[in-house]
Amino acid sequence: MHSSAPAPSEEEIRGVVTPLASLEGPLLPMLHALQDTWGFVPQAAVPVLADILNLGRAEVHGVISFYHDFRRNPAGRHILKICRAEACQSMGANALAESTLQKLGIAWHGTTPNGAVTVEPVYCLGMCACAPAVMVDGKVVGRVDDARMDRILAEVGV
Amino acid sequence: MKIFVPGDSAAKALGADDVADALAREAKARGLDVQLVRNGTRGMVWLEPLVEVDTPEGRIGYGNVTPDQVPDLLDGKLNSLGRVEDIDWFARQTRLTFARCGVIDPLDLDDYAANGGLVGLRRALGMTGSQIVQEVTASGLRGRGGAGFPTGIKWKTVAEAEAPQKYIVCNADEGDSGTFADRMIIEGDPFSLIEGMAIAGLGVGATRGYVYLRSEYPDAIRILMQAVKIARQRGLLGPDVLGSGRAFDMEVRTGAGAYVCGEETSLLNSLEGKRGTVRAKPPLPALQGFLGQPTVVNNVISLATVPVIFEKGAQHYADFGLGRSRGTVTLQIAGNVKRGGLFETAFGMTLGEVVNDIGGGTATGRPVKAVQVGGPLGAYMPVSKFDTPMGYEEFDRQGGLIGHAGLVVFDDTADMLRMARFAMEFCAVESCGKCTPCRIGAVRGVETIDRIAQGDAAAIPLLTDLCETMKDGSLCALGGFTPFPVMSALTHFPDDFATLQEAAE
Ligand SMILES: Cc1cc2nc3c(=O)[nH]c(=O)nc-3n(C[C@H](O)[C@H](O)[C@H](O)COP(=O)(O)O)c2cc1C
Ligand code: SF4
Ligand code: FES
Ligand code: FES
């Protein structure tokens, strides 16, 4: 997915967000653009966004921290989201999540030591009629059992 | 030969892409002229990937196809389900909102128009704003996002407001577990939403629209963005909608993983680039919504149902239903269920019919224990309430709610104390932080349920009191309705809350 490049410069950050400045309500699209580019929202973006949008830095920071999507640190090369919501629970999602985290030796939001994968909780992927479901780098997989999970983990290089 | 392999993300999650690849490869190897269409889903998730072959007799379906079955399928050796339209699960539905979903190529505007699309918009273009609003009112359509508020009344408020700019905002945040109707219609028939928003714009005098689509749905985002682009190129959107001289255009915006942003005022804050905290009402979003301007906020299904109302007439729609719940409900049958998927039918079927008759009972084959209806803020309905008809008032009378019409089935292995704890935990994680009963109460709720689990019987009345406080003191339904799943679990499944002492006695 994203390589762990050096921290982006102010100029690079401006290059990503400035084209979006004319939108009505541009902050979320800008944050998504930053995360799409670097895999997280770099700290250095806060003063730049505050300047472009004429907001306080604390305000920008407050918005970033409100939303579960925005990461403030780089993630692993792949993102595995495991659904924790009710429909998936009814089909064994709790056990699936527990055994997966245990296999990887990490907790929620953790990254494997080799940097291959970060595991995040998600509350519903709209796959509730083929639960339990997970998402790997934006691709959904349904009716996930241990065997299917092992294949997924092998594919992402664990 | 024309073959359909759904491109819906649930079908893809069950291997549809691999089947499509195998079909393309095998057809090429055999020198067959196969036209592969990636349609939406027919809603029968239990049969996905559901491949359909177009024949003179109709579209013949093959269920749960795997890539290694493809050669047999092309040889005509694979067992078929017969005509898809005749499959009982499908034939029993009344498909109005979802009439085209799974039938057409989602991004083919001509296919859309050949199947009833744009008829409604053309009709609306010949009507005045107030006639349009009147038509929606007459259809009896109520918001499908959860609250069931009459759509016509909401539109009327916006229509009568004076402002330099008004907006149509589509709520595609669909955060409720057990729901996927919004995703399915966007992936399978995106033009119906676009058409519905355009009609709404004409009705209330709004020229601009936004769809706030959750980030968990990348396929839906991609498809809707493509559809908007096509609609613009073809003059369905833009300064001159279908050559009428009237303007309407729209944009797709991506959410950022906050459940509370499905609440309409939180959504508007988020759309404006703010923290997604809930706004106090009044002012109503209809009067002061996006950027302070009059705004219609409607759910995807509400808006995507508008075209068929204008195509077939308000009365046709209103003729379906039960009591004050008019038209069809797009049931989403999910969780531990044998035949899960989207089932559109007139309001009025009982909960038990939906779960047992349509859904076929649990996937595990064990007895049903509970069904959570209406998402994470909905009550757990015990089997003893299975005769409750699907209708807003009917559910309300049974202490439940229909919400966005998702049903999550649980078998007898479910631990209802654990589900109650999850409801509180979810509320704590997703609280916008504005009111204390929600923000702090949910955390206390988790602790209190943990005390019950450890055998502290005195904690049960504490939990009941806490739920009362949350119900009375919360600004929005996240804090205010979390007591529904918690209290229904406690009331209907007391054994799961029996303390260790009691169990020992
Ligand atoms: C916590 C919370 C989450 C909600 N989530 C959604 C949602 O995901 N989609 C939706 O359409 N409505 C949701 N609603 C309801 C909206 O506030 C609003 O009633 C709805 O968008 C209005 O559209 P409708 O009248 O077409 O249903 C939610 C409400 C609350 C309190
Ligand atoms: S009830 Fe909870 S989510 Fe709703 S406004 Fe209050 S704190 Fe926010
Ligand atoms: S609850 Fe897991 S996909 Fe909906
Ligand atoms: S981010 Fe403020 S309550 Fe969750």
Side-chain angles (χ1 to χ4, degrees):
Chain A
M1 263 197 108
H2 307 285
S3 57
S4 39
S9 69
E10 183 185 328
E11 202 183 332
E12 287 173 304
I13 290 170
R14 278 188 191 273
V16 170
V17 300
T18 312
L20 301 167
S22 63
L23 297 178
E24 291 182 313
L27 184 49
L28 254 65
M30 286 177 170
L31 293 171
H32 276 301
L34 291 166
Q35 181 146 310
D36 287 346
T37 309
W38 287 290
F40 68 108
V41 177
Q43 185 59 35
V46 174
V48 178
L49 292 168
D51 176 50
I52 295 177
L53 301 174
N54 202 15
L55 295 169
R57 289 182 189 199
E59 222 174 322
V60 175
H61 193 80
V63 172
I64 298 171
S65 62
F66 184 85
Y67 296 97
H68 301 300
D69 274 6
F70 300 126
R71 271 180 229 107
R72 276 162 286 173
N73 296 296
R77 288 185 294 281
H78 301 277
I79 309 281
L80 171 64
K81 296 188 188 221
I82 305 181
C83 180
R84 290 197 61 204
E86 290 89 340
C88 286
Q89 290 190 45
S90 78
M91 290 298 284
N94 287 329
L96 178 75
E98 273 162 39
S99 75
T100 305
L101 291 170
Q102 201 177 8
K103 237 178 268 172
L104 299 176
I106 56 176
W108 290 113
H109 301 286
T111 302
T112 52
N114 67 356
V117 63
T118 300
V119 180
E120 296 179 344
V122 65
Y123 296 94
C124 196
L125 293 163
M127 297 293 129
C128 329
C130 53
V134 306
M135 182 182 256
V136 198
D137 301 334
K139 215 175 142 253
V140 273
V141 189
R143 295 200 194 114
V144 181
D145 50 16
D146 280 323
R148 203 164 269 184
M149 182 60 91
D150 286 342
R151 269 205 307 283
I152 292 169
L153 295 180
E155 274 167 31
V156 299
V158 178
Chain B
M1 182 160 53
K2 202 170 182 178
I3 303 184
F4 298 83
V5 182
D8 175 272
S9 51
K12 293 189 355 178
L14 296 171
D17 281 347
D18 293 339
V19 172
D21 288 348
L23 259 167
R25 232 180 304 119
E26 189 69 21
K28 195 167 168 220
R30 297 179 180 203
L32 281 176
D33 181 24
V34 167
Q35 188 197 346
L36 194 63
V37 179
R38 301 305 299 268
N39 55 335
T41 175
R42 299 270 193 162
M44 293 180 280
V45 176
W46 57 287
L47 287 177
E48 295 291 357
L50 172 63
V51 176
E52 296 177 37
V53 179
D54 204 17
T55 74
E57 288 78 49
R59 281 162 66 162
I60 305 299
Y62 299 85
N64 308 114
V65 176
T66 54
D68 56 333
Q69 290 176 331
V70 162
D72 279 356
L73 188 147
L74 288 174
D75 288 339
K77 284 195 215 143
L78 198 63
N79 275 341
S80 91
L81 302 161
R83 280 161 36 105
V84 174
E85 258 106 37
D86 298 338
I87 297 173
D88 190 52
W89 206 93
F90 192 81
R92 287 176 71 173
Q93 300 185 49
T94 301
R95 296 194 45 119
L96 298 178
T97 309
F98 278 78
R100 280 175 297 264
C101 190
V103 176
I104 64 167
D105 175 344
L107 290 172
D108 185 337
L109 190 56
D110 297 319
D111 210 359
Y112 179 74
N115 285 275
L118 303 182
V119 175
L121 177 57
R122 289 216 165 83
R123 181 167 163 237
L125 282 168
M127 297 163 82
T128 65
S130 65
Q131 284 171 332
I132 291 174
V133 172
Q134 179 49 39
E135 186 78 0
V136 173
T137 307
S139 75
L141 178 67
R142 292 166 70 176
R144 301 288 190 247
F149 187 80
T151 306
I153 295 180
K154 188 181 282 187
W155 287 22
K156 188 162 188 274
T157 309
V158 178
E160 288 171 356
E162 294 282 344
Q165 179 71 55
K166 299 179 192 178
Y167 294 97
I168 308 297
V169 170
C170 170
N171 188 342
D173 202 47
E174 196 164 66
D176 290 358
S177 170
T179 67
F180 42 80
D182 299 352
R183 177 186 67 63
M184 259 182 196
I185 198 87
I186 289 174
E187 292 180 357
D189 192 18
F191 292 120
S192 67
L193 173 58
I194 295 173
E195 183 179 350
M197 288 179 71
I199 295 173
L202 295 170
V204 306
T207 53
R208 223 177 271 174
Y210 288 94
V211 179
Y212 186 90
L213 221 173
R214 66 200 299 256
S215 61
E216 292 85 347
Y217 287 176
D219 285 0
I221 294 171
R222 180 178 46 78
I223 291 172
L224 188 58
M225 283 184 162
Q226 279 175 282
V228 167
K229 206 167 137 194
I230 293 165
R232 232 177 251 145
Q233 284 163 353
R234 298 281 302 267
L236 166 56
L237 290 173
D240 185 20
V241 172
L242 297 183
S244 64
R246 322 256 310 260
F248 186 77
D249 210 338
M250 57 187 274
E251 267 177 51
V252 181
R253 287 292 173 85
T254 307
Y259 174 75
V260 74
C261 286
E263 194 284 331
E264 56 187 0
T265 61
S266 162
L267 184 152
L268 292 170
N269 275 335
S270 184
L271 208 53
E272 290 176 9
K274 299 176 183 150
R275 295 160 56 91
T277 47
V278 172
R279 300 176 185 170
K281 288 188 256 189
L284 290 174
L287 296 173
Q288 290 177 44
F290 184 55
L291 301 172
Q293 302 299 314
T295 303
V296 168
V297 182
N298 269 142
N299 173 254
V300 175
I301 298 299
S302 313
L303 288 163
T305 299
V306 168
V308 73
I309 290 172
F310 281 77
E311 179 196 343
K312 307 223 156 152
Q315 194 56 47
H316 179 83
Y317 192 76
D319 282 345
F320 295 96
L322 168 78
R324 288 179 48 223
S325 309
R326 305 316 311 168
T328 56
V329 57
T330 53
L331 299 169
Q332 297 133 85
I333 309 172
N336 192 335
V337 68
K338 199 160 164 192
R339 294 190 292 266
L342 185 129
F343 190 93
E344 182 175 359
T345 182
F347 281 98
M349 199 175 252
T350 66
L351 177 59
E353 276 177 88
V354 176
V355 172
N356 290 325
D357 207 16
I358 310 295
T362 63
T364 45
R366 304 183 64 95
V368 174
K369 180 166 184 174
V371 184
Q372 188 178 31
V373 185
L377 309 176
Y380 284 99
M381 304 287 279
V383 174
S384 60
K385 292 190 185 254
F386 266 21
D387 56 358
T388 311
M390 303 299 308
Y392 293 106
E393 283 68 31
E394 290 72 13
F395 258 67
D396 187 55
R397 278 198 289 273
Q398 291 300 321
L401 57 100
I402 287 201
H404 190 43
L407 296 90
V408 178
V409 181
F410 291 81
D411 74 10
D412 62 349
T413 62
D415 175 351
M416 301 312 291
L417 177 137
R418 193 165 179 181
M419 297 321 297
R421 185 188 193 278
F422 177 80
M424 284 292 190
E425 187 191 348
F426 184 74
C427 181
V429 171
E430 298 297 335
S431 168
C432 87
K434 196 152 174 168
C435 16
T436 317
C438 169
R439 190 185 67 237
I440 308 289
V443 177
R444 291 277 172 281
V446 174
E447 294 164 4
T448 311
I449 294 172
D450 284 344
R451 279 174 54 189
I452 298 172
Q454 282 152 23
D456 183 354
I460 291 181
L462 288 181
L463 181 63
T464 308
D465 285 352
L466 185 63
C467 282
E468 280 307 312
T469 309
M470 288 176 71
K471 245 189 227 170
D472 297 339
S474 297
L475 185 58
C476 85
L478 182 48
F481 284 16
T482 293
F484 273 109
V486 175
M487 288 308 295
S488 58
L490 179 61
T491 312
H492 301 306
F493 307 96
D495 289 356
D496 289 0
F497 292 77
T499 62
L500 297 175
Q501 286 103 307
E502 279 175 16
E505 274 162 22

